[in-house]
Amino acid sequence: MTSSIRPVGPGVALVTGACSGIGRALAEGLAERGHDLVLVSQREGPIGEAAREIAAAHGVRAHAITLDLARPEAAGELYAEVLRRGIEIDVLVNNAGVFFFGEVADADPDRANAMLQLHVVTPSLLCTLFTRGMRARRRGRVLIVSSLSAWRDIPGIAYYGSSKKYLRGFARALRSELSVYGVTVTCLAPGATATALYDPSVVPVDLGKRLGVMMAPRDVARAGLEALFAGEAEHLPGGLTRAMALGAVLVPERVIGLLRRHAPWLRPVGR
Ligand SMILES: NC(=O)c1ccc[n+]([C@@H]2O[C@H](COP(=O)([O-])OP(=O)(O)OC[C@H]3O[C@@H](n4cnc5c(N)ncnc54)[C@H](OP(=O)(O)O)[C@@H]3O)[C@@H](O)[C@H]2O)c1
């Protein structure tokens, strides 16, 4: 399908990982604000359904693109596909992500490689490719979804947390580069959120939500979009997330050592 979306009104937003969780809620929030959408994820059925439902509910145009963003060529392919459809992107949301627990020495190398491609390489290159046009037009916004886990290095989530730390630093540097052109960059760092990111047999998501220790994705997205359109540099959504970020920075290293010894997601010491 070839179609052309011109930059009228608030412009077009591209959201990666838009078929579920925080990404879907971000896409809905952007549509509520009148943005046409390009929605990307790797499963054709769910992303097509998300695009149809959001377009019908909010009266915007929504393109669905199916792509595995964990492949090295993904950013270039997505950029080429967006150009081919004649779409100009005004808001870039790098949200797609995956999660796994475990010791670095136990990680499946293919799974670890895919996470690094998805969290580090692809979002960085999407910023390179899409912010060129924003810089030339002197307008645009970028939202990068990092995580509370970027605030402290935690055993058992070394790949995840370190890749999110990269995104936090990348967002800051990119923000400084682009601010002189009128393009804003915002880093959203959610804490625990009740989504399909976690294996429910390991993380009791429903219980977490009921106890109020996991946020609803729409609340995270609402806070993220407010921060994005206010041009904030970094946003931790929710009081508990902000308290945990402070705790993460202040907690002594010996507590991290205790965590390593007793965390249920790590091998018992000595085995
Ligand atoms: N949930 C939390 O507690 C939490 C906390 C902090 C940060 N975050 C971050 O928030 C972001 C969204 O996660 P979520 O919690 O909303 O989880 P989610 O519901 O599982 O959503 C993840 C999204 O990423 C997409 N995705 C995963 N692998 C992909 C790939 N290889 N190619 C293309 N798309 C891919 C998924 O699409 P498919 O289903 O098609 O694969 C899905 O749309 C992630 O970056 C995550 O790290 C989440």
Side-chain angles (χ1 to χ4, degrees), residues 61-221:
R61 282 173 284 190
H63 288 238
I65 296 180
T66 309
L67 202 61
D68 177 0
L69 295 170
R71 290 167 42 255
E73 314 76 25
E77 289 176 3
L78 178 54
Y79 183 66
E81 180 58 19
V82 169
L83 279 191
R84 191 186 71 73
R85 295 184 187 208
I87 304 168
E88 201 166 77
I89 299 301
D90 298 285
V91 180
L92 172 65
V93 180
N94 277 304
N95 164 77
V98 289
F99 182 88
F100 60 82
F101 283 118
E103 295 185 20
V104 168
D106 287 328
D108 169 356
D110 290 340
R111 198 176 188 194
N113 182 44
M115 178 184 275
L116 294 178
Q117 292 287 341
L118 184 66
H119 290 186
V120 175
V121 179
T122 299
S124 307
L125 295 180
L126 288 177
C127 286
T128 292
L129 294 168
F130 284 107
T131 64
R132 284 179 185 158
M134 294 181 191
R135 183 179 63 180
R137 296 189 293 277
R138 299 293 198 266
R139 67 159 198 276
R141 297 188 185 277
V142 178
L143 184 68
I144 294 180
V145 181
S146 172
S147 163
L148 170 62
S149 62
W151 264 250
R152 190 67 186 258
D153 305 317
I154 304 288
I157 56 165
Y159 274 107
Y160 182 82
S162 303
S163 64
K164 292 294 179 178
K165 209 167 177 178
Y166 169 87
L167 284 174
R168 187 182 178 203
F170 186 84
R172 279 191 197 169
L174 184 64
R175 178 180 174 85
S176 307
E177 289 182 10
L178 290 175
S179 61
V180 294
Y181 303 110
V183 177
T184 66
V185 179
T186 300
C187 175
L188 174 64
T193 309
T195 70
L197 188 73
Y198 304 108
D199 175 349
S201 66
V202 182
V203 178
V205 172
D206 288 339
L207 181 66
K209 206 172 152 189
R210 278 204 301 281
L211 294 176
V213 293
M214 293 187 111
M215 285 181 75
R218 72 170 174 284
D219 294 336
V220 171

Side-chain angles (χ1 to χ4, degrees), residues 18-20 24 28 39 41 43-57 62-66:
C19 73
S20 63
R24 163 96 194 214
E28 277 169 7
L39 305 181
S41 81
R43 291 176 304 138
E44 192 173 357
I47 200 66
E49 201 180 330
R52 280 191 298 280
E53 286 175 3
I54 295 173
H63 288 238
I65 296 180
T66 309

